[in-house]
Amino acid sequence: MDTVTVHDKTFEKYIDHAALMEAIDRVCDRLNADYAGSTRPPILMCTLHGALMFTSEVMQRLSFEARVACIKVSSYVGTHSTGGITSVLGPTKDVKGERVIILEDIVDTGLTIVNMRSMLAGLGAADVKVCTMLFKPESFRTHLEKTGLCPEEHLPEYYAMEIPDDFIVGFGLDYNEFGRNYPDIYKLKQ
Ligand code: IMP
Ligand code: MG
């Protein structure tokens, strides 16, 4: 399919499934190198629902033992300029003393990962890293700078692909809850 329609919007093919799989291969090579020989298996923290498909791909490529847990958060605009997140579900495993790898579908403004890192640290996680399928570096930089945070200090440690500030659907990503099921990734048609 070259274009798909989700609700009222048309999206055009953007990232082919095969190219996405190669990018996931590469990021998992890095995880495998960094987590080889871990004494205690890290927890892969799948952020629902967007990271479901990415989590499944990552799990199949890991050469080290890992456990899986889920978390669902929702963002809100709080009294702080950065806004915040609240946990709607999970984390479904106790993270106290654990090494956690947050698996995200996409890092856009950075609000979610900045808050999720501190939420998990607050629950006693020993170490928190972020592995995201897609990363929008321009949006990330602009938004964190606007809220007075240093983008370099909050970068995701691992990402499979960088993309410009386009709105996309597919491979787990939704537009108002639909469009997650496509094996390829589509961007909003201008
Ligand atoms: P952030 O907090 O702005 O970094 O955004 C993180 C969340 O926003 C992701 O987990 C996605 O659920 C959603 N999101 C950001 N960009 C897109 C997009 O292009 N398509 C669909 N969802 C997106
Ligand atoms: Mg979403």
Side-chain angles (χ1 to χ4, degrees):
M1 282 183 295
D2 288 334
T3 62
V4 295
T5 302
V6 184
H7 298 296
D8 56 333
K9 298 202 189 311
T10 307
F11 293 81
E12 59 192 356
K13 181 86 146 289
Y14 185 41
I15 304 169
D16 181 70
H17 184 81
L20 189 58
M21 292 304 108
E22 282 173 23
I24 298 175
D25 286 345
R26 288 193 292 272
V27 80
C28 288
D29 286 346
R30 288 191 52 219
L31 286 173
N32 283 331
D34 292 353
Y35 285 84
S38 289
T39 44
R40 189 161 168 79
I43 295 177
L44 304 174
M45 188 64 69
C46 170
T47 57
L48 297 173
H49 296 90
L52 277 171
M53 287 165 92
F54 178 54
T55 299
S56 152
E57 295 299 331
V58 169
M59 287 168 68
Q60 294 172 64
R61 287 167 174 77
L62 296 187
S63 54
F64 57 90
E65 293 296 324
R67 289 164 294 155
V68 181
C70 293
I71 189 167
K72 178 164 171 56
V73 298
S74 83
S75 0
Y76 61 89
V77 180
T79 46
H80 299 143
S81 53
T82 51
I85 56 167
T86 167
S87 164
V88 180
L89 175 104
T92 59
K93 273 191 172 53
D94 185 1
V95 297
K96 201 169 188 338
E98 305 288 356
R99 299 175 77 189
V100 178
I101 306 172
I102 297 172
L103 296 180
E104 258 287 25
D105 52 355
I106 190 162
V107 172
D108 181 0
T109 64
L111 172 75
T112 307
I113 61 161
V114 164
N115 285 289
M116 210 179 320
R117 280 186 202 272
S118 52
M119 174 191 282
L120 294 173
L123 292 171
D127 180 61
V128 181
K129 299 276 192 286
V130 174
C131 176
T132 184
M133 180 168 73
L134 301 169
F135 179 37
K136 295 183 187 172
E138 286 149 40
S139 173
F140 183 81
R141 178 165 300 279
T142 311
H143 282 88
L144 288 200
E145 280 173 356
K146 215 184 282 174
T147 56
L149 295 169
C150 171
E152 278 69 32
E153 283 173 21
H154 297 276
L155 285 171
E157 286 81 2
Y158 305 90
Y159 54 87
M161 273 191 172
E162 281 188 343
I163 60 164
D165 290 352
D166 294 308
F167 187 77
I168 57 165
V169 293
F171 211 79
L173 289 135
D174 70 304
Y175 165 47
N176 285 347
E177 293 301 331
F178 283 89
R180 294 192 197 275
N181 51 298
Y182 304 118
D184 303 296
I185 288 179
Y186 295 80
K187 74 171 174 187
L188 185 62
K189 208 170 167 182
Q190 298 301 332

PDB file of all heavy atoms in Angstrom, residues 70-92:
ATOM      1  N   CYS A  70       5.358  -4.083  31.481  1.00  0.00           N
ATOM      2  CA  CYS A  70       4.664  -3.045  30.719  1.00  0.00           C
ATOM      3  C   CYS A  70       4.341  -1.858  31.612  1.00  0.00           C
ATOM      4  O   CYS A  70       4.162  -2.000  32.828  1.00  0.00           O
ATOM      5  CB  CYS A  70       3.337  -3.578  30.175  1.00  0.00           C
ATOM      6  SG  CYS A  70       3.555  -4.853  28.936  1.00  0.00           S
ATOM      7  N   ILE A  71       4.233  -0.729  30.965  1.00  0.00           N
ATOM      8  CA  ILE A  71       3.769   0.477  31.659  1.00  0.00           C
ATOM      9  C   ILE A  71       2.925   1.271  30.665  1.00  0.00           C
ATOM     10  O   ILE A  71       3.207   1.237  29.460  1.00  0.00           O
ATOM     11  CB  ILE A  71       4.953   1.317  32.209  1.00  0.00           C
ATOM     12  CG1 ILE A  71       4.468   2.443  33.111  1.00  0.00           C
ATOM     13  CG2 ILE A  71       5.820   1.851  31.080  1.00  0.00           C
ATOM     14  CD1 ILE A  71       5.587   3.096  33.925  1.00  0.00           C
ATOM     15  N   LYS A  72       1.891   1.895  31.161  1.00  0.00           N
ATOM     16  CA  LYS A  72       1.124   2.801  30.308  1.00  0.00           C
ATOM     17  C   LYS A  72       1.031   4.121  31.050  1.00  0.00           C
ATOM     18  O   LYS A  72       0.595   4.162  32.203  1.00  0.00           O
ATOM     19  CB  LYS A  72      -0.269   2.241  30.009  1.00  0.00           C
ATOM     20  CG  LYS A  72      -1.102   3.192  29.166  1.00  0.00           C
ATOM     21  CD  LYS A  72      -2.300   2.508  28.546  1.00  0.00           C
ATOM     22  CE  LYS A  72      -3.232   3.529  27.905  1.00  0.00           C
ATOM     23  NZ  LYS A  72      -2.574   4.378  26.901  1.00  0.00           N
ATOM     24  N   VAL A  73       1.472   5.178  30.398  1.00  0.00           N
ATOM     25  CA  VAL A  73       1.427   6.489  31.036  1.00  0.00           C
ATOM     26  C   VAL A  73       0.588   7.426  30.180  1.00  0.00           C
ATOM     27  O   VAL A  73       0.403   7.195  28.998  1.00  0.00           O
ATOM     28  CB  VAL A  73       2.841   7.093  31.225  1.00  0.00           C
ATOM     29  CG1 VAL A  73       3.688   6.228  32.138  1.00  0.00           C
ATOM     30  CG2 VAL A  73       3.533   7.334  29.893  1.00  0.00           C
ATOM     31  N   SER A  74       0.080   8.441  30.817  1.00  0.00           N
ATOM     32  CA  SER A  74      -0.559   9.460  30.003  1.00  0.00           C
ATOM     33  C   SER A  74       0.004  10.808  30.425  1.00  0.00           C
ATOM     34  O   SER A  74       0.357  11.026  31.587  1.00  0.00           O
ATOM     35  CB  SER A  74      -2.071   9.400  30.131  1.00  0.00           C
ATOM     36  OG  SER A  74      -2.473  10.079  31.271  1.00  0.00           O
ATOM     37  N   SER A  75       0.156  11.692  29.465  1.00  0.00           N
ATOM     38  CA  SER A  75       0.768  12.986  29.766  1.00  0.00           C
ATOM     39  C   SER A  75      -0.305  13.975  30.186  1.00  0.00           C
ATOM     40  O   SER A  75      -1.453  13.859  29.798  1.00  0.00           O
ATOM     41  CB  SER A  75       1.527  13.544  28.563  1.00  0.00           C
ATOM     42  OG  SER A  75       1.445  12.701  27.474  1.00  0.00           O
ATOM     43  N   TYR A  76       0.079  14.900  30.966  1.00  0.00           N
ATOM     44  CA  TYR A  76      -0.838  15.975  31.323  1.00  0.00           C
ATOM     45  C   TYR A  76      -0.032  17.249  31.366  1.00  0.00           C
ATOM     46  O   TYR A  76       1.185  17.249  31.516  1.00  0.00           O
ATOM     47  CB  TYR A  76      -1.494  15.709  32.674  1.00  0.00           C
ATOM     48  CG  TYR A  76      -0.534  15.612  33.826  1.00  0.00           C
ATOM     49  CD1 TYR A  76      -0.162  16.740  34.551  1.00  0.00           C
ATOM     50  CD2 TYR A  76       0.015  14.382  34.192  1.00  0.00           C
ATOM     51  CE1 TYR A  76       0.723  16.653  35.608  1.00  0.00           C
ATOM     52  CE2 TYR A  76       0.901  14.281  35.234  1.00  0.00           C
ATOM     53  CZ  TYR A  76       1.249  15.417  35.948  1.00  0.00           C
ATOM     54  OH  TYR A  76       2.138  15.337  37.000  1.00  0.00           O
ATOM     55  N   VAL A  77      -0.708  18.350  31.221  1.00  0.00           N
ATOM     56  CA  VAL A  77      -0.031  19.638  31.343  1.00  0.00           C
ATOM     57  C   VAL A  77      -0.239  20.084  32.774  1.00  0.00           C
ATOM     58  O   VAL A  77      -1.341  20.436  33.185  1.00  0.00           O
ATOM     59  CB  VAL A  77      -0.603  20.659  30.343  1.00  0.00           C
ATOM     60  CG1 VAL A  77       0.109  21.987  30.468  1.00  0.00           C
ATOM     61  CG2 VAL A  77      -0.476  20.119  28.927  1.00  0.00           C
ATOM     62  N   GLY A  78       0.819  19.986  33.535  1.00  0.00           N
ATOM     63  CA  GLY A  78       0.716  20.281  34.962  1.00  0.00           C
ATOM     64  C   GLY A  78       1.040  21.734  35.238  1.00  0.00           C
ATOM     65  O   GLY A  78       1.104  22.559  34.338  1.00  0.00           O
ATOM     66  N   THR A  79       1.285  22.017  36.511  1.00  0.00           N
ATOM     67  CA  THR A  79       1.623  23.386  36.873  1.00  0.00           C
ATOM     68  C   THR A  79       3.067  23.696  36.479  1.00  0.00           C
ATOM     69  O   THR A  79       3.434  24.844  36.315  1.00  0.00           O
ATOM     70  CB  THR A  79       1.443  23.603  38.387  1.00  0.00           C
ATOM     71  OG1 THR A  79       2.049  22.497  39.048  1.00  0.00           O
ATOM     72  CG2 THR A  79      -0.028  23.664  38.751  1.00  0.00           C
ATOM     73  N   HIS A  80       3.898  22.656  36.341  1.00  0.00           N
ATOM     74  CA  HIS A  80       5.272  22.880  35.885  1.00  0.00           C
ATOM     75  C   HIS A  80       5.263  23.070  34.380  1.00  0.00           C
ATOM     76  O   HIS A  80       4.438  22.501  33.676  1.00  0.00           O
ATOM     77  CB  HIS A  80       6.165  21.684  36.255  1.00  0.00           C
ATOM     78  CG  HIS A  80       6.241  21.446  37.714  1.00  0.00           C
ATOM     79  ND1 HIS A  80       6.284  20.195  38.283  1.00  0.00           N
ATOM     80  CD2 HIS A  80       6.257  22.324  38.742  1.00  0.00           C
ATOM     81  CE1 HIS A  80       6.331  20.309  39.592  1.00  0.00           C
ATOM     82  NE2 HIS A  80       6.321  21.596  39.895  1.00  0.00           N
ATOM     83  N   SER A  81       6.225  23.818  33.906  1.00  0.00           N
ATOM     84  CA  SER A  81       6.264  24.096  32.470  1.00  0.00           C
ATOM     85  C   SER A  81       6.502  22.833  31.653  1.00  0.00           C
ATOM     86  O   SER A  81       6.126  22.751  30.497  1.00  0.00           O
ATOM     87  CB  SER A  81       7.344  25.123  32.174  1.00  0.00           C
ATOM     88  OG  SER A  81       8.554  24.690  32.719  1.00  0.00           O
ATOM     89  N   THR A  82       7.145  21.831  32.259  1.00  0.00           N
ATOM     90  CA  THR A  82       7.431  20.603  31.520  1.00  0.00           C
ATOM     91  C   THR A  82       6.210  19.699  31.426  1.00  0.00           C
ATOM     92  O   THR A  82       6.245  18.701  30.737  1.00  0.00           O
ATOM     93  CB  THR A  82       8.542  19.788  32.209  1.00  0.00           C
ATOM     94  OG1 THR A  82       8.196  19.630  33.568  1.00  0.00           O
ATOM     95  CG2 THR A  82       9.889  20.461  32.070  1.00  0.00           C
ATOM     96  N   GLY A  83       5.136  20.013  32.140  1.00  0.00           N
ATOM     97  CA  GLY A  83       4.014  19.091  32.194  1.00  0.00           C
ATOM     98  C   GLY A  83       4.447  17.882  32.994  1.00  0.00           C
ATOM     99  O   GLY A  83       5.338  17.972  33.826  1.00  0.00           O
ATOM    100  N   GLY A  84       3.830  16.756  32.761  1.00  0.00           N
ATOM    101  CA  GLY A  84       4.220  15.573  33.513  1.00  0.00           C
ATOM    102  C   GLY A  84       3.501  14.369  32.971  1.00  0.00           C
ATOM    103  O   GLY A  84       2.804  14.471  31.972  1.00  0.00           O
ATOM    104  N   ILE A  85       3.714  13.252  33.622  1.00  0.00           N
ATOM    105  CA  ILE A  85       3.003  12.052  33.213  1.00  0.00           C
ATOM    106  C   ILE A  85       2.431  11.392  34.451  1.00  0.00           C
ATOM    107  O   ILE A  85       2.903  11.594  35.556  1.00  0.00           O
ATOM    108  CB  ILE A  85       3.905  11.033  32.469  1.00  0.00           C
ATOM    109  CG1 ILE A  85       5.133  10.651  33.308  1.00  0.00           C
ATOM    110  CG2 ILE A  85       4.302  11.554  31.107  1.00  0.00           C
ATOM    111  CD1 ILE A  85       5.868   9.428  32.770  1.00  0.00           C
ATOM    112  N   THR A  86       1.407  10.609  34.209  1.00  0.00           N
ATOM    113  CA  THR A  86       0.863   9.830  35.309  1.00  0.00           C
ATOM    114  C   THR A  86       0.728   8.392  34.826  1.00  0.00           C
ATOM    115  O   THR A  86       0.445   8.163  33.648  1.00  0.00           O
ATOM    116  CB  THR A  86      -0.472  10.452  35.788  1.00  0.00           C
ATOM    117  OG1 THR A  86      -1.103   9.521  36.639  1.00  0.00           O
ATOM    118  CG2 THR A  86      -1.405  10.780  34.655  1.00  0.00           C
ATOM    119  N   SER A  87       0.998   7.445  35.719  1.00  0.00           N
ATOM    120  CA  SER A  87       0.914   6.041  35.324  1.00  0.00           C
ATOM    121  C   SER A  87      -0.551   5.611  35.305  1.00  0.00           C
ATOM    122  O   SER A  87      -1.275   5.783  36.274  1.00  0.00           O
ATOM    123  CB  SER A  87       1.695   5.171  36.304  1.00  0.00           C
ATOM    124  OG  SER A  87       1.305   3.829  36.134  1.00  0.00           O
ATOM    125  N   VAL A  88      -0.970   5.055  34.190  1.00  0.00           N
ATOM    126  CA  VAL A  88      -2.331   4.568  34.046  1.00  0.00           C
ATOM    127  C   VAL A  88      -2.355   3.071  34.360  1.00  0.00           C
ATOM    128  O   VAL A  88      -3.329   2.519  34.817  1.00  0.00           O
ATOM    129  CB  VAL A  88      -2.822   4.811  32.598  1.00  0.00           C
ATOM    130  CG1 VAL A  88      -4.241   4.320  32.411  1.00  0.00           C
ATOM    131  CG2 VAL A  88      -2.727   6.269  32.242  1.00  0.00           C
ATOM    132  N   LEU A  89      -1.213   2.431  34.106  1.00  0.00           N
ATOM    133  CA  LEU A  89      -1.070   0.993  34.356  1.00  0.00           C
ATOM    134  C   LEU A  89       0.404   0.707  34.609  1.00  0.00           C
ATOM    135  O   LEU A  89       1.266   1.225  33.895  1.00  0.00           O
ATOM    136  CB  LEU A  89      -1.517   0.224  33.111  1.00  0.00           C
ATOM    137  CG  LEU A  89      -1.308  -1.289  33.158  1.00  0.00           C
ATOM    138  CD1 LEU A  89      -2.624  -1.981  33.396  1.00  0.00           C
ATOM    139  CD2 LEU A  89      -0.701  -1.782  31.861  1.00  0.00           C
ATOM    140  N   GLY A  90       0.670  -0.102  35.629  1.00  0.00           N
ATOM    141  CA  GLY A  90       2.023  -0.557  35.869  1.00  0.00           C
ATOM    142  C   GLY A  90       2.903   0.489  36.530  1.00  0.00           C
ATOM    143  O   GLY A  90       2.389   1.484  37.008  1.00  0.00           O
ATOM    144  N   PRO A  91       4.207   0.253  36.571  1.00  0.00           N
ATOM    145  CA  PRO A  91       4.906  -0.856  35.939  1.00  0.00           C
ATOM    146  C   PRO A  91       4.461  -2.211  36.497  1.00  0.00           C
ATOM    147  O   PRO A  91       4.208  -2.339  37.692  1.00  0.00           O
ATOM    148  CB  PRO A  91       6.388  -0.588  36.246  1.00  0.00           C
ATOM    149  CG  PRO A  91       6.407   0.359  37.385  1.00  0.00           C
ATOM    150  CD  PRO A  91       5.135   1.131  37.327  1.00  0.00           C
ATOM    151  N   THR A  92       4.366  -3.203  35.626  1.00  0.00           N
ATOM    152  CA  THR A  92       3.821  -4.499  36.013  1.00  0.00           C
ATOM    153  C   THR A  92       4.857  -5.389  36.716  1.00  0.00           C
ATOM    154  O   THR A  92       4.550  -6.529  37.034  1.00  0.00           O
ATOM    155  CB  THR A  92       3.239  -5.229  34.791  1.00  0.00           C
ATOM    156  OG1 THR A  92       4.282  -5.388  33.820  1.00  0.00           O
ATOM    157  CG2 THR A  92       2.070  -4.461  34.177  1.00  0.00           C
TER     158      THR A  92
END
